[in-house]
Amino acid sequence: MGGQGKSEICLQLAHRVRQDFWGVFWVDVSTASSAKNDFLNIASKLGISAQSSEEARQGLANVKQPWLLVLDNADDPKMDYQDYFPPGPSGVVILTSRNAECHRYASTRPVELEGLPESDALELLLRAANVPLEQQDDAQGVTGLLRSHPLALIQAGAYISRGHCTLAEYPQVYKRQRKRLLKFRPTQAQSRYRDVYATFEASADVLQAMQTEVATDALQLLPVLGTCAASRLPLPLFEAAWKRAQIIDSSNTTDDDDSLNLSLWHVAHLPPFLQADADAWDSFRLVEAVSLLKAFSFVSTDTHDEFLSVSMHPLTNAWARDRLDKMAQHDACLATGCLMAISGGDETLWRKQGRQLQPHLESLMSWDLDGIFALEPTRKITCIITKCGWLLYQMRDDAKLSVLMSNLMTYLILDPLIVDAKWLPVYDLTARNLVDFGRSPEAVPLLEQVVQIREQTLPKNHSDRLVSQHELARAYLVNRQVKEAVSLLEQVVQIREQILAEDHPERLVSQHELARAYKANGQVKEAVSLLEQVVQITEQTLAEDYPDRLISQHELASAYLANSQVKEAVSLLEHVVQIQEQTLAEDHPNRLASQHELARAYHANRQLKEAVSLLEHVVEIKGKILAEDHPSRLVSQHELARAYDAYGQVQEAVALLEQVVKIKEQTLAEDHPERLVSRHNLATYLWDFGRRDAALQMMKHVVEVRRKVLDKHHPHRMLSEDRLKIFEDEMIDIESE
């Protein structure tokens, strides 16, 4: 990679070993003419009459004393640099190159530069910035951001020393003005290419001049990689896109297609080197393009997962993006968007490689919508964004999807409250995301409209109609409209049991959701029975780590817990958590939900130490990724407070639950069940902690509200009334003493 300091390192080495050699010689082999001039200059110094590079090299080879020759900038993959090596035993040759294929010239292990060691990077930055060496904490943020790239650190230091910003401010300035910063040049001690981006652009110029098919393919692949993230990109993505392109129905090509389906228009905008119209998949051009980019040190590759993946240094990735003008950016986004959207039909790829693909999808979807939509049919681009949105939805990347759908709705000028049937898939995905993002009250009216539209236009047993009803029932359940959820899901399950096989995924997922509704409705035995049936089938038909199988096992364990089958719940949840910790990211909602539920099972099983430890972990992660008032975050904090109290950490329980209650009082209605549960528990903990007056007043308020909204035989009302009676009796005893 350019800017790593290869030439500077060789210069320092030459100075250090100068006494060991009769002569030290330097040849710039970046071009044939510069190499010839430098070799003829060597011949002149040796007093040799030479008319060509070959005669000069032979003259150097004839020198009997030990000599050192540096061949600098051997970057052209078309050039055979072996021709520049003087024959004979007297010399040592050092060759610097960005081309990984030049390793073949080495008679010993080649040295790869991967950035400076941390201590050297910090010292270089601080000296370049002309600030005291004690400011290492701020400097670490900059060296990490620039991955200890020497030239980038020098440029950053120069920018800071000019007074444009401080060390602490640089990361934020970099986010806003990355291109300006990486093209900023110090006045003194400039490198050969003067700035980071110029070093990369010099290689791109060579690539452009090659004018071969593989060079053209590499130049088409480069902006696609720049549109993605810098991390590992699995190349099977391209094969998946080619295969799915072959089965896209050519009838889905009209701009008024309400389903927003992928079409031949999208296939036509795939990167040309994929050869979407070929009779069979051939990876040759793709692999050759990657190999050429690797030869120029634009990318690196690995085969860690038994397939080829490509990644970029973050600075190279930034350059590949920033070098594009607006039209080229648009074309790159369009090609990458079609690649992602079309490959999304390969469920196996996205399930197995989702963690590697997620940052690339996020990077693509972070581009400005105006630039993506420019000059293209609105519905075609909306199709791409919606398809990519579904991939984010399946990954449970709720926050990124929320931003994406909000921006899309704004761009399309859609009413956020009234569903437009022409854009039904957009509203459907938006509403589902609202449910997952903890905003079910907003989701329910949208999903009710979606269902109403589909009930008016589709027969009772149509898959799309049943899916919409299923999703509305799921929203009802999250929104605590349990009766409505049960009624609607029973209807969906009844129809699907009539038309679908026993092991059909849609039938199983509706039975699963109905069981959840039964549990929420207090029909625990029905929930257990139905879930045991679902789990038995999924264990026979799905792989051990398949998400649907794990989700059903999770839900069955939760039902076991509600049915006082604690041992069974612990055993099953430990199994689920073990697999999810191997297959899902630390902050994946499904993994956190299973860990939360396992902690509840540990609590019920009196494994309090394990419950506290696991819940502290869950609360910590949710605190980083969820808003303060997100229901899922509050639920885990509430559960941790319960575990603290049971474990004898009453002070911690009170402090945490006071925080939860404060937030719920700002966000939930006075009679909301979750707000009342938290206040009931807090009153209990306050009483145990000796704050009896506050506890008594809080419990009185809970009882007062529950008497207004709950039947006198409701267990929650009776529990609060009993607890209040205990408080009042003990207060009388205290006052009488």
Side-chain angles (χ1 to χ4, degrees):
M1 175 189 286
Q4 291 278 22
K6 297 181 290 294
S7 302
E8 287 78 1
I9 289 174
C10 287
L11 185 61
Q12 289 296 321
L13 177 63
H15 280 299
R16 292 187 184 186
V17 301
R18 178 67 183 84
Q19 300 304 316
D20 299 329
F21 294 96
W22 172 80
V24 176
F25 306 97
W26 196 285
V27 177
D28 178 5
V29 296
S30 58
T31 65
S33 60
S34 65
K36 179 180 179 181
N37 290 337
D38 286 349
F39 270 116
L40 291 177
N41 186 45
I42 292 173
S44 176
K45 291 182 181 298
L46 294 176
I48 300 171
S49 177
Q51 301 299 317
S52 66
S53 297
E54 184 177 351
E55 291 176 355
R57 289 195 300 275
Q58 188 59 51
L60 179 59
N62 292 335
V63 174
K64 302 304 181 184
Q65 295 90 340
W67 47 263
L68 172 67
L69 172 64
V70 178
L71 301 177
D72 195 21
N73 302 311
D75 302 327
D76 190 343
K78 296 183 297 181
M79 181 72 71
D80 184 358
Y81 292 101
Q82 186 70 49
D83 294 341
Y84 290 142
F85 283 63
S90 301
V92 174
V93 178
I94 298 176
L95 181 141
T96 73
S97 178
R98 308 179 193 186
N99 186 349
E101 293 185 4
C102 285
H103 287 176
R104 68 184 63 179
Y105 300 125
S107 59
T108 184
R109 182 181 178 184
V111 177
E112 295 187 13
L113 300 183
E114 299 290 346
L116 294 172
E118 184 177 3
S119 58
D120 293 342
L122 290 171
E123 182 178 357
L124 176 62
L125 174 63
L126 292 169
R127 291 188 183 281
N130 196 28
V131 298
L133 297 180
E134 291 75 25
Q135 293 190 27
Q136 290 202 5
D137 289 345
D138 291 336
Q140 284 177 337
V142 179
T143 58
L145 181 69
L146 301 177
R147 298 293 178 91
S148 299
H149 187 282
L151 182 53
L153 292 174
I154 291 171
Q155 288 179 225
Y159 192 85
I160 293 165
S161 69
R162 291 275 190 92
H164 293 296
C165 68
T166 66
L167 268 174
E169 294 168 344
Y170 188 89
Q172 289 301 317
V173 176
Y174 180 88
K175 290 180 180 179
R176 300 192 305 269
Q177 301 288 345
R178 179 182 63 211
K179 186 174 182 179
R180 175 198 292 172
L181 266 57
L182 293 178
K183 291 177 70 69
F184 185 82
R185 299 170 176 175
T187 305
Q188 303 297 324
Q190 294 187 6
S191 77
R192 173 175 177 243
Y193 294 110
R194 304 188 72 189
D195 65 64
V196 173
Y197 275 11
T199 67
F200 303 148
E201 204 61 51
S203 293
D205 290 342
V206 176
L207 194 61
Q208 188 78 50
M210 292 175 66
Q211 296 185 341
T212 61
E213 181 182 70
V214 65
T216 300
D217 290 344
L219 288 168
Q220 291 171 347
L221 176 59
L222 188 60
V224 171
L225 298 178
T227 304
C228 296
S231 57
R232 296 174 68 240
L233 178 68
L235 290 194
L237 175 77
F238 294 87
E239 181 179 0
W242 183 90
K243 289 181 176 178
R244 299 300 301 182
Q246 308 311 302
I247 59 176
I248 288 179
D249 187 351
S250 60
S251 65
N252 295 327
T253 57
T254 57
D255 287 340
D256 61 351
D257 179 9
D258 285 343
S259 64
L260 295 174
N261 283 333
L262 291 165
S263 67
L264 292 180
W265 183 92
H266 298 95
V267 173
H269 286 85
L270 287 169
F273 55 79
L274 280 189
Q275 305 174 84
D277 58 350
D279 294 333
W281 164 248
D282 185 356
S283 64
F284 179 80
R285 286 178 61 178
L286 172 62
V287 173
E288 284 295 292
V290 168
S291 298
L292 186 56
L293 291 177
K294 183 178 180 180
F296 280 94
S297 295
F298 288 133
V299 303
S300 57
T301 61
D302 68 74
T303 54
H304 292 167
D305 299 309
E306 300 183 354
F307 54 77
L308 190 63
S309 291
V310 60
S311 56
M312 305 180 82
H313 188 286
L315 296 182
T316 314
N317 179 258
W319 163 79
R321 174 179 293 208
D322 291 342
R323 73 188 297 261
L324 305 175
D325 60 28
K326 286 190 175 181
M327 198 62 223
Q329 285 182 357
H330 165 76
D331 292 343
C333 283
L334 182 56
T336 310
C338 290
L339 180 71
M340 296 284 184
I342 294 174
S343 71
D346 189 331
E347 181 186 346
T348 301
L349 171 76
W350 282 88
R351 176 169 56 84
K352 291 186 175 181
Q353 304 305 324
R355 291 176 69 174
Q356 283 74 41
L357 291 168
Q358 185 170 351
H360 305 290
L361 185 61
E362 290 177 351
S363 177
L364 170 65
M365 291 294 99
S366 69
W367 285 75
D368 178 59
L369 289 187
D370 287 331
I372 298 177
F373 274 93
L375 306 176
E376 306 295 348
T378 297
R379 296 187 69 79
K380 299 301 184 187
I381 302 300
T382 301
C383 172
I384 294 173
I385 294 174
T386 306
K387 295 296 182 184
C388 290
W390 281 112
L391 294 172
L392 291 174
Y393 173 77
Q394 290 159 7
M395 293 174 177
R396 287 300 308 273
D397 197 344
D398 302 334
K400 293 289 192 307
L401 179 57
S402 177
V403 172
L404 176 65
M405 298 312 295
S406 176
N407 291 341
L408 180 60
M409 295 276 286
T410 300
Y411 183 87
L412 296 175
I413 319 177
L414 298 181
D415 190 323
L417 302 178
I418 301 175
V419 174
D420 183 342
K422 190 171 71 171
W423 300 101
L424 206 59
V426 176
Y427 281 97
D428 188 13
L429 180 55
T430 298
R432 294 197 200 191
N433 174 244
L434 287 171
V435 174
D436 288 341
F437 208 49
R439 297 164 59 185
S440 57
E442 300 170 58
V444 166
L446 290 179
L447 285 169
E448 286 177 334
Q449 293 177 65
V450 171
V451 167
Q452 183 180 16
I453 292 170
R454 285 184 167 157
E455 286 180 346
Q456 292 171 351
T457 57
L458 300 174
K460 285 186 177 181
N461 61 356
H462 193 285
S463 176
D464 288 348
R465 172 171 171 169
L466 292 169
V467 166
S468 297
Q469 291 170 329
H470 172 101
E471 288 303 319
L472 174 57
R474 187 171 75 90
Y476 280 152
L477 192 55
V478 175
N479 205 41
R480 305 185 73 87
Q481 295 174 253
V482 179
K483 302 293 185 186
E484 293 90 336
V486 169
S487 175
L488 189 52
L489 282 166
E490 285 180 334
Q491 174 186 333
V492 171
V493 166
Q494 182 182 11
I495 295 173
R496 283 182 164 168
E497 287 180 346
Q498 293 171 355
I499 63 174
L500 300 177
E502 185 181 55
D503 59 353
H504 193 285
E506 291 182 1
R507 173 172 170 171
L508 291 171
V509 77
S510 291
Q511 290 172 328
H512 167 104
E513 203 65 26
L514 176 57
R516 289 185 65 236
Y518 280 154
K519 181 165 73 73
N521 200 39
Q523 299 170 256
V524 178
K525 294 192 182 302
E526 291 88 339
V528 168
S529 175
L530 188 52
L531 281 166
E532 285 180 332
Q533 174 187 335
V534 170
V535 167
Q536 181 182 9
I537 295 172
T538 58
E539 288 179 347
Q540 293 171 353
T541 58
L542 301 177
E544 186 179 51
D545 61 351
Y546 199 89
D548 288 355
R549 173 172 169 172
L550 292 170
I551 290 171
S552 294
Q553 289 172 328
H554 167 111
E555 203 57 47
L556 174 57
S558 179
Y560 280 152
L561 194 56
N563 202 39
S564 301
Q565 296 174 254
V566 178
K567 300 291 185 186
E568 293 88 338
V570 168
S571 176
L572 190 50
L573 282 166
E574 285 180 334
H575 167 76
V576 170
V577 167
Q578 181 184 14
I579 294 175
Q580 289 180 335
E581 287 179 347
Q582 296 170 354
T583 58
L584 299 180
E586 186 180 52
D587 60 354
H588 193 286
N590 289 358
R591 174 172 167 174
L592 291 170
S594 295
Q595 290 171 328
H596 172 101
E597 201 65 14
L598 176 56
R600 288 185 65 241
Y602 280 151
H603 187 159
N605 204 39
R606 304 308 298 169
Q607 295 175 254
L608 298 177
K609 183 178 180 180
E610 292 87 345
V612 167
S613 175
L614 191 51
L615 280 167
E616 285 179 334
H617 169 77
V618 171
V619 167
E620 179 185 359
I621 300 298
K622 287 185 176 181
K624 295 176 182 177
I625 62 173
L626 299 179
E628 186 181 57
D629 61 350
H630 193 287
S632 179
R633 177 173 171 176
L634 292 171
V635 165
S636 291
Q637 289 174 324
H638 179 109
E639 200 60 39
L640 176 56
R642 287 186 63 246
Y644 277 150
D645 178 66
Y647 199 49
Q649 297 178 249
V650 181
Q651 184 173 351
E652 290 85 348
V654 168
L656 183 56
L657 203 52
E658 282 182 328
Q659 176 185 339
V660 171
V661 166
K662 180 180 179 181
I663 295 171
K664 287 184 176 180
E665 287 177 346
Q666 296 169 351
T667 58
L668 300 179
E670 184 182 51
D671 60 355
H672 194 286
E674 291 180 7
R675 173 172 169 175
L676 291 170
V677 166
S678 294
R679 287 178 61 83
H680 171 101
N681 287 352
L682 178 56
T684 302
Y685 302 159
L686 287 171
W687 184 270
D688 295 339
F689 198 53
R691 294 166 57 182
R692 290 183 170 82
D693 288 338
L696 181 62
Q697 293 306 313
M698 186 172 291
M699 192 61 77
K700 283 182 176 179
H701 181 263
V702 171
V703 169
E704 178 184 346
V705 175
R706 282 183 163 170
R707 282 175 173 168
K708 293 178 181 177
V709 297
L710 299 178
D711 182 81
K712 65 179 180 179
H713 298 300
H714 193 286
H716 288 177
R717 171 176 169 176
M718 295 172 64
L719 181 64
S720 295
E721 288 174 337
D722 290 345
R723 182 64 64 177
L724 177 60
K725 182 69 166 56
I726 293 172
F727 287 0
E728 290 174 336
D729 290 346
E730 290 190 14
M731 286 294 284
I732 292 172
D733 292 340
I734 293 171
E735 291 172 356
S736 65
E737 289 179 355

